[in-house]
Amino acid sequence: MSNLPGIVITGASGRMGQMLIKTVMASDKCTLVGAVEREGHDWVGRDVGEAMGGAALGVLVTDDALEAFSHAQAVIDFTAPEATLAFSALAAQAHCVHVIGTTGMSDTQIAKLEPAGRHTTIIRAGNMSLGVNLLTKLTKMVAQALDDEYDIEVVEAHHNRKVDAPSGTALMLGEAAAEGRGVKLDDVRESGRDGITGARKQGDIGFSAIRGGDIVGEHDVMFISGEDRVILRHVATDRSLFAKGAVKAALWGQGKKPGEYDMMDVLGL
């Protein structure tokens, strides 16, 4: 048996699930001990490596998440909000670190993670990359420095299969801008303009979403005045960026006290 932390990947058949499996297998700091899919999925019962079209990895895909979690030190979860809530309860029961990269969670759903956070370590972020988290910190700093004479717009672009908008990262950036201005995002958020919307309200934070092709992830935070523009930008070119950040979070969480953390904690920002 390996002494390295064992990691379970949920949503194993998805693009991020497969990327996470490859990232864990390539790491010399952790080991893959489980892969989870929903009941009835045709990968269940198969070796995950073979299901992915490669060599056998000695790990069978299961639909019994609790059984898989009970043999792990961490679970990495990029699935869907309701599935993540179910996994959070099981991770707490198994006392393994729960790394959540799931996007599209409502405030109500996020609040439902709190009971699990009393029993295990939860690390949740709208984006797991170092660059985006640096961008988030910079966004807050610029918003603090510039008054509301500067309009703030968050523009994001993703692939055509992404189901939520604005992206979790865009909302994370909007939250940082709102915090920098000392306001609540819900009070100043403006999304999805269409038709005769009227003039832009001073102090609002606007969001625009682009969907197309296989864009991994692009985010611009624009501070726009009548005289100039300050634009902060991050462009992701490979999904492995997020997988590497998630594995880093899973390793960082080992030995941490139960509670809810984010990538700023992981990165010490």
Side-chain angles (χ1 to χ4, degrees), residues 16-52:
M16 270 307 302
Q18 293 188 51
M19 180 62 72
L20 285 161
I21 289 167
K22 292 175 183 176
T23 302
V24 171
M25 292 302 300
S27 175
D28 60 0
K29 295 179 176 148
C30 56
T31 185
L32 182 71
V33 298
V36 174
E37 259 303 343
R38 65 185 181 278
E39 184 178 359
H41 194 282
D42 60 9
W43 279 28
V44 173
R46 298 175 61 191
D47 183 280
V48 69
E50 293 177 341
M52 289 169 58

mmCIF file of all heavy atoms in Angstrom, residues 16-52:
data_model
loop_
_atom_site.group_PDB
_atom_site.id
_atom_site.type_symbol
_atom_site.label_atom_id
_atom_site.label_comp_id
_atom_site.label_asym_id
_atom_site.label_seq_id
_atom_site.Cartn_x
_atom_site.Cartn_y
_atom_site.Cartn_z
ATOM 1 N N MET A 16 -13.240 17.116 -17.387
ATOM 2 C CA MET A 16 -12.420 17.463 -16.232
ATOM 3 C C MET A 16 -12.097 16.229 -15.410
ATOM 4 O O MET A 16 -10.998 16.097 -14.867
ATOM 5 C CB MET A 16 -13.119 18.514 -15.371
ATOM 6 C CG MET A 16 -12.809 19.942 -15.745
ATOM 7 S SD MET A 16 -11.033 20.333 -15.838
ATOM 8 C CE MET A 16 -10.481 19.931 -14.192
ATOM 9 N N GLY A 17 -13.049 15.301 -15.300
ATOM 10 C CA GLY A 17 -12.787 14.080 -14.554
ATOM 11 C C GLY A 17 -11.601 13.331 -15.133
ATOM 12 O O GLY A 17 -10.695 12.900 -14.403
ATOM 13 N N GLN A 18 -11.576 13.180 -16.443
ATOM 14 C CA GLN A 18 -10.472 12.466 -17.081
ATOM 15 C C GLN A 18 -9.153 13.235 -16.940
ATOM 16 O O GLN A 18 -8.094 12.628 -16.728
ATOM 17 C CB GLN A 18 -10.796 12.222 -18.550
ATOM 18 C CG GLN A 18 -11.954 11.255 -18.744
ATOM 19 C CD GLN A 18 -12.159 10.865 -20.195
ATOM 20 O OE1 GLN A 18 -11.215 10.460 -20.877
ATOM 21 N NE2 GLN A 18 -13.399 10.975 -20.679
ATOM 22 N N MET A 19 -9.227 14.561 -17.041
ATOM 23 C CA MET A 19 -8.015 15.356 -16.863
ATOM 24 C C MET A 19 -7.481 15.220 -15.440
ATOM 25 O O MET A 19 -6.270 15.115 -15.212
ATOM 26 C CB MET A 19 -8.299 16.822 -17.186
ATOM 27 C CG MET A 19 -7.091 17.742 -17.025
ATOM 28 S SD MET A 19 -5.728 17.329 -18.130
ATOM 29 C CE MET A 19 -6.411 17.868 -19.693
ATOM 30 N N LEU A 20 -8.377 15.202 -14.468
ATOM 31 C CA LEU A 20 -7.971 15.041 -13.068
ATOM 32 C C LEU A 20 -7.323 13.674 -12.845
ATOM 33 O O LEU A 20 -6.312 13.566 -12.134
ATOM 34 C CB LEU A 20 -9.182 15.218 -12.151
ATOM 35 C CG LEU A 20 -9.665 16.651 -11.973
ATOM 36 C CD1 LEU A 20 -11.097 16.674 -11.457
ATOM 37 C CD2 LEU A 20 -8.740 17.417 -11.025
ATOM 38 N N ILE A 21 -7.906 12.638 -13.432
ATOM 39 C CA ILE A 21 -7.327 11.297 -13.299
ATOM 40 C C ILE A 21 -5.910 11.276 -13.866
ATOM 41 O O ILE A 21 -4.975 10.760 -13.238
ATOM 42 C CB ILE A 21 -8.226 10.259 -14.001
ATOM 43 C CG1 ILE A 21 -9.513 10.065 -13.189
ATOM 44 C CG2 ILE A 21 -7.493 8.921 -14.167
ATOM 45 C CD1 ILE A 21 -10.603 9.319 -13.932
ATOM 46 N N LYS A 22 -5.721 11.845 -15.042
ATOM 47 C CA LYS A 22 -4.388 11.885 -15.651
ATOM 48 C C LYS A 22 -3.405 12.679 -14.784
ATOM 49 O O LYS A 22 -2.225 12.308 -14.649
ATOM 50 C CB LYS A 22 -4.477 12.509 -17.045
ATOM 51 C CG LYS A 22 -5.221 11.644 -18.054
ATOM 52 C CD LYS A 22 -5.388 12.378 -19.380
ATOM 53 C CE LYS A 22 -6.191 11.550 -20.373
ATOM 54 N NZ LYS A 22 -6.434 12.289 -21.636
ATOM 55 N N THR A 23 -3.891 13.767 -14.183
ATOM 56 C CA THR A 23 -3.017 14.612 -13.365
ATOM 57 C C THR A 23 -2.597 13.891 -12.088
ATOM 58 O O THR A 23 -1.427 13.950 -11.685
ATOM 59 C CB THR A 23 -3.730 15.939 -13.029
ATOM 60 O OG1 THR A 23 -4.087 16.596 -14.246
ATOM 61 C CG2 THR A 23 -2.835 16.853 -12.202
ATOM 62 N N VAL A 24 -3.539 13.203 -11.455
ATOM 63 C CA VAL A 24 -3.207 12.431 -10.252
ATOM 64 C C VAL A 24 -2.225 11.316 -10.593
ATOM 65 O O VAL A 24 -1.241 11.085 -9.877
ATOM 66 C CB VAL A 24 -4.483 11.853 -9.605
ATOM 67 C CG1 VAL A 24 -4.123 10.874 -8.486
ATOM 68 C CG2 VAL A 24 -5.355 12.973 -9.055
ATOM 69 N N MET A 25 -2.465 10.614 -11.701
ATOM 70 C CA MET A 25 -1.586 9.517 -12.093
ATOM 71 C C MET A 25 -0.170 10.006 -12.407
ATOM 72 O O MET A 25 0.801 9.281 -12.193
ATOM 73 C CB MET A 25 -2.165 8.787 -13.311
ATOM 74 C CG MET A 25 -3.454 8.020 -13.043
ATOM 75 S SD MET A 25 -3.283 6.753 -11.749
ATOM 76 C CE MET A 25 -2.021 5.704 -12.474
ATOM 77 N N ALA A 26 -0.062 11.243 -12.891
ATOM 78 C CA ALA A 26 1.251 11.788 -13.238
ATOM 79 C C ALA A 26 2.000 12.352 -12.035
ATOM 80 O O ALA A 26 3.199 12.636 -12.124
ATOM 81 C CB ALA A 26 1.093 12.882 -14.296
ATOM 82 N N SER A 27 1.296 12.501 -10.908
ATOM 83 C CA SER A 27 1.903 13.102 -9.721
ATOM 84 C C SER A 27 2.683 12.072 -8.909
ATOM 85 O O SER A 27 2.289 10.908 -8.813
ATOM 86 C CB SER A 27 0.821 13.728 -8.844
ATOM 87 O OG SER A 27 1.373 14.209 -7.633
ATOM 88 N N ASP A 28 3.789 12.510 -8.327
ATOM 89 C CA ASP A 28 4.548 11.648 -7.414
ATOM 90 C C ASP A 28 4.229 11.971 -5.953
ATOM 91 O O ASP A 28 4.898 11.508 -5.047
ATOM 92 C CB ASP A 28 6.050 11.771 -7.666
ATOM 93 C CG ASP A 28 6.564 13.202 -7.457
ATOM 94 O OD1 ASP A 28 5.769 14.102 -7.119
ATOM 95 O OD2 ASP A 28 7.783 13.419 -7.637
ATOM 96 N N LYS A 29 3.136 12.762 -5.738
ATOM 97 C CA LYS A 29 2.777 13.176 -4.384
ATOM 98 C C LYS A 29 1.441 12.619 -3.913
ATOM 99 O O LYS A 29 1.034 12.846 -2.780
ATOM 100 C CB LYS A 29 2.745 14.704 -4.310
ATOM 101 C CG LYS A 29 4.115 15.327 -4.527
ATOM 102 C CD LYS A 29 4.044 16.837 -4.485
ATOM 103 C CE LYS A 29 5.451 17.392 -4.617
ATOM 104 N NZ LYS A 29 5.520 18.655 -5.279
ATOM 105 N N CYS A 30 0.743 11.915 -4.797
ATOM 106 C CA CYS A 30 -0.550 11.338 -4.429
ATOM 107 C C CYS A 30 -0.804 10.125 -5.315
ATOM 108 O O CYS A 30 -0.048 9.853 -6.252
ATOM 109 C CB CYS A 30 -1.676 12.363 -4.561
ATOM 110 S SG CYS A 30 -1.809 13.104 -6.211
ATOM 111 N N THR A 31 -1.871 9.408 -5.027
ATOM 112 C CA THR A 31 -2.199 8.222 -5.800
ATOM 113 C C THR A 31 -3.706 8.141 -6.029
ATOM 114 O O THR A 31 -4.491 8.612 -5.197
ATOM 115 C CB THR A 31 -1.699 6.951 -5.077
ATOM 116 O OG1 THR A 31 -1.927 5.816 -5.894
ATOM 117 C CG2 THR A 31 -2.404 6.761 -3.747
ATOM 118 N N LEU A 32 -4.107 7.586 -7.156
ATOM 119 C CA LEU A 32 -5.523 7.429 -7.481
ATOM 120 C C LEU A 32 -6.050 6.168 -6.808
ATOM 121 O O LEU A 32 -5.541 5.069 -7.042
ATOM 122 C CB LEU A 32 -5.712 7.332 -8.997
ATOM 123 C CG LEU A 32 -7.161 7.221 -9.481
ATOM 124 C CD1 LEU A 32 -7.878 8.556 -9.287
ATOM 125 C CD2 LEU A 32 -7.200 6.813 -10.963
ATOM 126 N N VAL A 33 -7.084 6.322 -5.975
ATOM 127 C CA VAL A 33 -7.651 5.164 -5.284
ATOM 128 C C VAL A 33 -9.116 4.933 -5.631
ATOM 129 O O VAL A 33 -9.697 3.945 -5.190
ATOM 130 C CB VAL A 33 -7.490 5.280 -3.747
ATOM 131 C CG1 VAL A 33 -6.019 5.319 -3.356
ATOM 132 C CG2 VAL A 33 -8.228 6.505 -3.207
ATOM 133 N N GLY A 34 -9.715 5.843 -6.391
ATOM 134 C CA GLY A 34 -11.121 5.651 -6.725
ATOM 135 C C GLY A 34 -11.580 6.571 -7.838
ATOM 136 O O GLY A 34 -11.026 7.655 -8.042
ATOM 137 N N ALA A 35 -12.601 6.104 -8.576
ATOM 138 C CA ALA A 35 -13.236 6.890 -9.629
ATOM 139 C C ALA A 35 -14.728 6.633 -9.533
ATOM 140 O O ALA A 35 -15.167 5.475 -9.500
ATOM 141 C CB ALA A 35 -12.702 6.487 -11.000
ATOM 142 N N VAL A 36 -15.510 7.692 -9.474
ATOM 143 C CA VAL A 36 -16.953 7.580 -9.220
ATOM 144 C C VAL A 36 -17.747 8.098 -10.414
ATOM 145 O O VAL A 36 -17.413 9.136 -10.991
ATOM 146 C CB VAL A 36 -17.340 8.367 -7.949
ATOM 147 C CG1 VAL A 36 -18.849 8.387 -7.756
ATOM 148 C CG2 VAL A 36 -16.650 7.774 -6.728
ATOM 149 N N GLU A 37 -18.782 7.354 -10.768
ATOM 150 C CA GLU A 37 -19.754 7.802 -11.769
ATOM 151 C C GLU A 37 -21.155 7.535 -11.247
ATOM 152 O O GLU A 37 -21.349 6.812 -10.274
ATOM 153 C CB GLU A 37 -19.544 7.097 -13.112
ATOM 154 C CG GLU A 37 -18.799 7.947 -14.148
ATOM 155 C CD GLU A 37 -19.472 9.276 -14.451
ATOM 156 O OE1 GLU A 37 -20.674 9.430 -14.121
ATOM 157 O OE2 GLU A 37 -18.817 10.166 -15.004
ATOM 158 N N ARG A 38 -22.131 8.129 -11.902
ATOM 159 C CA ARG A 38 -23.517 7.975 -11.463
ATOM 160 C C ARG A 38 -24.007 6.548 -11.721
ATOM 161 O O ARG A 38 -23.506 5.848 -12.621
ATOM 162 C CB ARG A 38 -24.421 8.980 -12.173
ATOM 163 C CG ARG A 38 -24.539 8.777 -13.662
ATOM 164 C CD ARG A 38 -25.340 9.883 -14.311
ATOM 165 N NE ARG A 38 -25.472 9.685 -15.750
ATOM 166 C CZ ARG A 38 -24.551 10.017 -16.642
ATOM 167 N NH1 ARG A 38 -23.408 10.574 -16.236
ATOM 168 N NH2 ARG A 38 -24.751 9.795 -17.938
ATOM 169 N N GLU A 39 -25.000 6.145 -10.963
ATOM 170 C CA GLU A 39 -25.597 4.821 -11.119
ATOM 171 C C GLU A 39 -26.138 4.647 -12.543
ATOM 172 O O GLU A 39 -26.784 5.539 -13.090
ATOM 173 C CB GLU A 39 -26.735 4.635 -10.111
ATOM 174 C CG GLU A 39 -27.361 3.268 -10.126
ATOM 175 C CD GLU A 39 -28.456 3.129 -9.081
ATOM 176 O OE1 GLU A 39 -28.707 4.112 -8.337
ATOM 177 O OE2 GLU A 39 -29.068 2.038 -9.016
ATOM 178 N N GLY A 40 -25.824 3.518 -13.150
ATOM 179 C CA GLY A 40 -26.301 3.240 -14.491
ATOM 180 C C GLY A 40 -25.357 3.672 -15.595
ATOM 181 O O GLY A 40 -25.582 3.342 -16.772
ATOM 182 N N HIS A 41 -24.304 4.398 -15.261
ATOM 183 C CA HIS A 41 -23.345 4.838 -16.278
ATOM 184 C C HIS A 41 -22.584 3.626 -16.810
ATOM 185 O O HIS A 41 -22.257 2.703 -16.059
ATOM 186 C CB HIS A 41 -22.371 5.850 -15.666
ATOM 187 C CG HIS A 41 -21.576 6.608 -16.693
ATOM 188 N ND1 HIS A 41 -20.496 6.073 -17.351
ATOM 189 C CD2 HIS A 41 -21.723 7.874 -17.177
ATOM 190 C CE1 HIS A 41 -19.995 6.965 -18.187
ATOM 191 N NE2 HIS A 41 -20.724 8.068 -18.105
ATOM 192 N N ASP A 42 -22.282 3.622 -18.114
ATOM 193 C CA ASP A 42 -21.661 2.429 -18.699
ATOM 194 C C ASP A 42 -20.193 2.245 -18.318
ATOM 195 O O ASP A 42 -19.591 1.217 -18.640
ATOM 196 C CB ASP A 42 -21.831 2.405 -20.226
ATOM 197 C CG ASP A 42 -21.210 3.600 -20.929
ATOM 198 O OD1 ASP A 42 -20.495 4.380 -20.270
ATOM 199 O OD2 ASP A 42 -21.434 3.751 -22.144
ATOM 200 N N TRP A 43 -19.607 3.231 -17.620
ATOM 201 C CA TRP A 43 -18.244 3.041 -17.116
ATOM 202 C C TRP A 43 -18.221 2.252 -15.806
ATOM 203 O O TRP A 43 -17.171 1.731 -15.429
ATOM 204 C CB TRP A 43 -17.574 4.389 -16.894
ATOM 205 C CG TRP A 43 -17.022 5.023 -18.126
ATOM 206 C CD1 TRP A 43 -17.455 4.868 -19.417
ATOM 207 C CD2 TRP A 43 -15.914 5.931 -18.185
ATOM 208 N NE1 TRP A 43 -16.702 5.622 -20.280
ATOM 209 C CE2 TRP A 43 -15.746 6.289 -19.551
ATOM 210 C CE3 TRP A 43 -15.075 6.486 -17.240
ATOM 211 C CZ2 TRP A 43 -14.747 7.166 -19.967
ATOM 212 C CZ3 TRP A 43 -14.081 7.375 -17.655
ATOM 213 C CH2 TRP A 43 -13.913 7.712 -19.004
ATOM 214 N N VAL A 44 -19.320 2.195 -15.095
ATOM 215 C CA VAL A 44 -19.346 1.546 -13.775
ATOM 216 C C VAL A 44 -18.963 0.072 -13.919
ATOM 217 O O VAL A 44 -19.494 -0.655 -14.772
ATOM 218 C CB VAL A 44 -20.734 1.681 -13.118
ATOM 219 C CG1 VAL A 44 -20.797 0.865 -11.829
ATOM 220 C CG2 VAL A 44 -21.034 3.149 -12.831
ATOM 221 N N GLY A 45 -18.002 -0.343 -13.076
ATOM 222 C CA GLY A 45 -17.519 -1.714 -13.104
ATOM 223 C C GLY A 45 -16.324 -1.930 -14.003
ATOM 224 O O GLY A 45 -15.704 -3.002 -13.970
ATOM 225 N N ARG A 46 -15.975 -0.939 -14.801
ATOM 226 C CA ARG A 46 -14.827 -1.058 -15.714
ATOM 227 C C ARG A 46 -13.586 -0.421 -15.096
ATOM 228 O O ARG A 46 -13.682 0.484 -14.257
ATOM 229 C CB ARG A 46 -15.128 -0.365 -17.044
ATOM 230 C CG ARG A 46 -16.297 -0.958 -17.815
ATOM 231 C CD ARG A 46 -16.589 -0.136 -19.060
ATOM 232 N NE ARG A 46 -15.457 -0.097 -19.982
ATOM 233 C CZ ARG A 46 -15.379 0.720 -21.028
ATOM 234 N NH1 ARG A 46 -16.363 1.590 -21.281
ATOM 235 N NH2 ARG A 46 -14.322 0.696 -21.825
ATOM 236 N N ASP A 47 -12.403 -0.891 -15.515
ATOM 237 C CA ASP A 47 -11.169 -0.228 -15.132
ATOM 238 C C ASP A 47 -11.168 1.165 -15.743
ATOM 239 O O ASP A 47 -11.436 1.331 -16.946
ATOM 240 C CB ASP A 47 -9.953 -1.016 -15.630
ATOM 241 C CG ASP A 47 -8.643 -0.394 -15.181
ATOM 242 O OD1 ASP A 47 -8.211 0.599 -15.821
ATOM 243 O OD2 ASP A 47 -8.057 -0.869 -14.196
ATOM 244 N N VAL A 48 -10.877 2.175 -14.940
ATOM 245 C CA VAL A 48 -11.021 3.548 -15.416
ATOM 246 C C VAL A 48 -10.028 3.865 -16.530
ATOM 247 O O VAL A 48 -10.333 4.620 -17.457
ATOM 248 C CB VAL A 48 -10.901 4.564 -14.253
ATOM 249 C CG1 VAL A 48 -9.471 4.625 -13.697
ATOM 250 C CG2 VAL A 48 -11.372 5.943 -14.682
ATOM 251 N N GLY A 49 -8.838 3.287 -16.461
ATOM 252 C CA GLY A 49 -7.858 3.516 -17.517
ATOM 253 C C GLY A 49 -8.340 2.981 -18.856
ATOM 254 O O GLY A 49 -8.233 3.652 -19.893
ATOM 255 N N GLU A 50 -8.900 1.765 -18.840
ATOM 256 C CA GLU A 50 -9.421 1.179 -20.065
ATOM 257 C C GLU A 50 -10.639 1.942 -20.563
ATOM 258 O O GLU A 50 -10.817 2.120 -21.778
ATOM 259 C CB GLU A 50 -9.755 -0.289 -19.818
ATOM 260 C CG GLU A 50 -8.524 -1.144 -19.540
ATOM 261 C CD GLU A 50 -8.860 -2.580 -19.227
ATOM 262 O OE1 GLU A 50 -10.028 -2.866 -18.869
ATOM 263 O OE2 GLU A 50 -7.945 -3.425 -19.331
ATOM 264 N N ALA A 51 -11.493 2.397 -19.642
ATOM 265 C CA ALA A 51 -12.665 3.174 -20.030
ATOM 266 C C ALA A 51 -12.261 4.472 -20.723
ATOM 267 O O ALA A 51 -12.973 4.971 -21.609
ATOM 268 C CB ALA A 51 -13.532 3.470 -18.809
ATOM 269 N N MET A 52 -11.105 5.007 -20.331
ATOM 270 C CA MET A 52 -10.592 6.229 -20.939
ATOM 271 C C MET A 52 -9.869 5.962 -22.259
ATOM 272 O O MET A 52 -9.408 6.893 -22.916
ATOM 273 C CB MET A 52 -9.652 6.938 -19.958
ATOM 274 C CG MET A 52 -10.358 7.558 -18.770
ATOM 275 S SD MET A 52 -9.218 8.113 -17.457
ATOM 276 C CE MET A 52 -8.163 9.258 -18.332
#
